[in-house]
Amino acid sequence: MVSFSTCSSSGIMNYMMKSEGSFYRVLIAPVGRSSIVLGQILEAVICTFLEVGIMSIVSSLLFSVKVATGLIGILLITLLVFLTSFFMADLSYVISLILPNEVVYETVMNAIVLPIFFLSSALFPIDGIKGVLAIAIKINPYYPCN
């Protein structure tokens, strides 16, 4: 969820850069456009890793959380966080270039991020839920598969 919110907020930078005029100055710079896009996407990925790192340190120090899978598990977690944040940052960047203003952008990104958050087990236990809501929770990619 940290990855989703950080990366969806990173697309707002395009609107800030457009309003200040720096977006168009970056476009005329002697740098490849793919490098510009990759740089903005990697900025969101680095911010995600910074936030995940802070949460990991706080959770291990204050709540004694330990990763039970060892070094291989930590590497796999790192890879999955990278891929998720890279995909979400890329998606938010593309959406921010398509939509006309930041109000519409925030509405679309909230329509993507919030259902995934509310259909996870982050807010309520999912054991006793039945019907259509149970089906929606089970097709959520972040449904715990224990």
Side-chain angles (χ1 to χ4, degrees):
M1 292 303 134
V2 168
S3 173
F4 279 6
S5 62
T6 302
C7 293
S8 68
S9 296
S10 69
I12 227 47
M13 285 303 295
N14 284 338
Y15 296 108
M16 289 181 186
M17 289 174 57
K18 284 179 185 178
S19 68
E20 295 172 358
S22 60
F23 184 80
Y24 302 105
R25 281 180 275 186
V26 169
L27 287 179
I28 62 172
V31 177
R33 290 190 182 200
S34 60
S35 299
I36 295 169
V37 171
L38 187 61
Q40 288 188 336
I41 290 171
L42 289 179
E43 176 191 10
V45 171
I46 290 171
C47 287
T48 298
F49 273 107
L50 181 67
E51 289 183 18
V52 169
I54 291 169
M55 286 176 38
S56 298
I57 291 169
V58 168
S59 65
S60 66
L61 291 177
L62 298 179
F63 303 112
S64 301
V65 173
K66 304 282 186 240
V67 178
T69 59
L71 182 62
I72 302 281
I74 291 173
L75 292 175
L76 185 60
I77 290 169
T78 304
L79 177 67
L80 289 174
V81 168
F82 175 78
L83 291 174
T84 302
S85 59
F86 191 85
F87 171 74
M88 279 304 295
D90 191 32
L91 181 67
S92 67
Y93 186 80
V94 168
I95 290 173
S96 72
L97 290 177
I98 294 170
L99 297 177
N101 60 36
E102 60 270 8
V103 175
V104 177
Y105 171 77
E106 282 297 324
T107 304
V108 169
M109 290 313 292
N110 283 335
I112 293 170
V113 173
L114 291 179
I116 293 172
F117 176 66
F118 288 127
L119 292 175
S120 70
S121 60
L123 298 176
F124 53 86
I126 55 178
D127 296 334
I129 297 176
K130 296 180 180 13
V132 176
L133 188 57
I135 294 169
I137 289 172
K138 288 180 182 174
I139 63 172
N140 182 357
Y142 292 98
Y143 175 73
C145 302
N146 303 4

